[in-house]
Amino acid sequence: MAISGSFRRHRVVVLALDGLLPFELGIPQRIFGKARDTDGRPLYEVVTCSVRPPGPVETDADFSVLVANGPEALAGADTVVVPASYELGPVQQEGILTPELAAALTLVRPGTRLVSICTGSYVLAAAGYLDGRPATTHWMHAEHFQELFPQIRVDADVLFVDDGDVLTSAGVAAGIDLCLHLVRRDHGAAVANEVARRTVVPPHRDGGQAQYIQRPVPEAQSAGTTAARAWALGRLHEPIQLRDMAEQESMSVRTFTRRFREEVGVSPGQWLTRQRVEHARHLLESSDLSIDQVARDAGFGTAQSMRQHLQATLGVTPTTYRRTFRSGSGADGTDGTEGGNSLASTHP
């Protein structure tokens, strides 16, 4: 999506706290910093700051990082990201902010988007930003987090929670998923997918996917479901039955379903629907196909079925999505309401 000459880059400010994890500190720069419009211009400005004047910030590794900005950088943020720290002290032990952290957060303007990665959620919670809201954190800390902040609706089984202007993610790599989700929300699937390709990570893992999978890879000499997923991705435009996918791995439907959920974290039907939604988004952004044709090519069968799934997943209709992330497509803008088989009747 191209930007106009009057466009001001969205400013992401990353709050570096003592005891931070260097990997998580680098996630916002890696994801937001690589997002470009169609002319190659950066869509975000990423700034790192600390709660103290410029200087070194300790990490959980054997080195510190030199942060060039103090807390005043928070005043100009459009989005504030709080990565995890292993030295949160009273924030994690008692649910209260330290004086310098409390003073820094007073600089955040009302309406600023707030994001936490892993145990950075403790900071948002202690500041009261998560009161009465759904949130997540690393699964190892979820029980303690809920006990410390009973007013928060904690979901320990998801990669991230998007509650509009406040978003929280589970541990480490889930921060990548959340940042990609925000790029996708801000600028569409094409921009997010390009960032994912540059970063060599999956372009989309849904926030509702389980963060802890009992057996993420098959046991030695045990068949997996990779071939079935590859087979299905090449046939999204066709009706795909659960038994068809199971046959690709020479498994019974019951065994395949269990193995699939163990490996991917969701059922085959949920996974397939998400792949179709992502393919529809790509087609809406990148092609001049009519809404009806996009629905057929993505495997939804009818425009009405696709409309229902995009509305449930994205909160918008196909036409609204195309209008938001693609200008001047010249495509047929009708959403279509003709009848047809429901998704449930043709998909696993």
Side-chain angles (χ1 to χ4, degrees), residues 9-10 12 32-33 35 42-46 113 182-183 186-187:
R9 285 186 294 165
H10 186 103
V12 177
F32 295 115
L43 292 166
Y44 299 89
E45 174 191 13
V46 184
R113 186 164 63 186
L182 282 172
V183 172
D186 291 345
H187 298 288

Side-chain angles (χ1 to χ4, degrees), residues 288-309:
D288 293 325
L289 296 174
S290 70
I291 299 297
D292 289 326
Q293 187 61 54
V294 169
R296 288 192 290 271
D297 287 359
F300 289 112
T302 69
Q304 179 63 20
S305 176
M306 182 174 72
R307 174 202 277 258
Q308 292 171 351
H309 282 86

Side-chain angles (χ1 to χ4, degrees), residues 165-190:
D165 60 341
V166 180
L167 302 93
T168 53
S169 76
V172 193
I176 298 176
D177 297 306
L178 178 51
C179 289
L180 281 172
H181 167 74
L182 282 172
V183 172
R184 187 179 298 106
R185 200 178 88 173
D186 291 345
H187 298 288

Side-chain angles (χ1 to χ4, degrees), residues 73-109:
L74 293 167
D78 298 304
T79 294
V80 171
V81 180
V82 184
S85 166
Y86 283 149
E87 295 181 15
L88 290 174
V91 176
Q92 193 164 6
Q93 295 165 6
E94 305 169 51
I96 58 175
L97 298 174
T98 61
E100 63 178 4
L101 183 51
L105 292 177
T106 62
L107 300 173
V108 178
R109 296 174 299 174

Side-chain angles (χ1 to χ4, degrees), residues 6-257:
S6 61
F7 179 85
R8 182 181 69 83
R9 285 186 294 165
H10 186 103
R11 197 166 198 246
V12 177
V13 177
V14 185
L15 183 57
L17 302 173
D18 283 324
L20 62 85
L21 284 66
F23 177 86
E24 294 191 12
L25 179 66
I27 289 173
Q29 175 61 52
R30 181 65 195 181
I31 302 301
F32 295 115
K34 295 299 181 183
R36 300 286 190 271
D37 73 345
T38 53
D39 295 321
R41 293 174 293 190
L43 292 166
Y44 299 89
E45 174 191 13
V46 184
V47 175
T48 305
C49 77
S50 73
V51 295
R52 299 185 297 273
V57 174
E58 298 301 319
T59 74
D60 74 328
D62 62 345
F63 59 85
S64 60
V65 294
L66 185 62
V67 177
N69 299 284
E72 65 279 355
L74 293 167
D78 298 304
T79 294
V80 171
V81 180
V82 184
S85 166
Y86 283 149
E87 295 181 15
L88 290 174
V91 176
Q92 193 164 6
Q93 295 165 6
E94 305 169 51
I96 58 175
L97 298 174
T98 61
E100 63 178 4
L101 183 51
L105 292 177
T106 62
L107 300 173
V108 178
R109 296 174 299 174
T112 300
R113 186 164 63 186
L114 303 170
V115 177
S116 68
I117 300 176
C118 193
T119 58
S121 56
Y122 279 87
V123 174
L124 299 188
Y129 293 125
L130 298 178
D131 288 357
R133 289 178 178 260
T136 193
T137 191
H138 193 291
W139 62 270
M140 291 181 66
H141 299 277
E143 184 176 352
H144 174 259
F145 187 73
Q146 183 67 90
E147 292 174 354
L148 193 60
F149 304 106
Q151 70 276 23
I152 298 172
R153 305 197 303 275
V154 180
D155 188 343
D157 297 324
V158 297
L159 293 176
F160 61 83
V161 172
D162 180 344
D163 197 38
D165 60 341
V166 180
L167 302 93
T168 53
S169 76
V172 193
I176 298 176
D177 297 306
L178 178 51
C179 289
L180 281 172
H181 167 74
L182 282 172
V183 172
R184 187 179 298 106
R185 200 178 88 173
D186 291 345
H187 298 288
V191 174
N193 289 347
E194 180 59 27
V195 173
R197 280 192 291 270
R198 287 175 175 267
T199 312
V200 197
V201 296
H204 180 70
R205 288 201 299 167
D206 188 83
Q209 182 170 325
Q211 58 169 291
Y212 180 63
I213 303 171
Q214 287 288 345
R215 187 163 51 126
V217 293
E219 295 174 349
Q221 301 180 351
S222 177
T225 63
T226 303
R229 278 178 273 147
W231 176 85
L233 286 173
R235 295 166 173 77
L236 290 178
H237 60 288
E238 302 175 4
I240 298 175
Q241 300 286 347
L242 180 56
R243 64 175 177 272
D244 298 330
M245 295 182 69
E247 286 175 359
Q248 305 309 309
E249 306 289 359
S250 300
M251 296 182 189
S252 68
V253 169
R254 181 177 180 180
T255 299
F256 177 80
T257 301

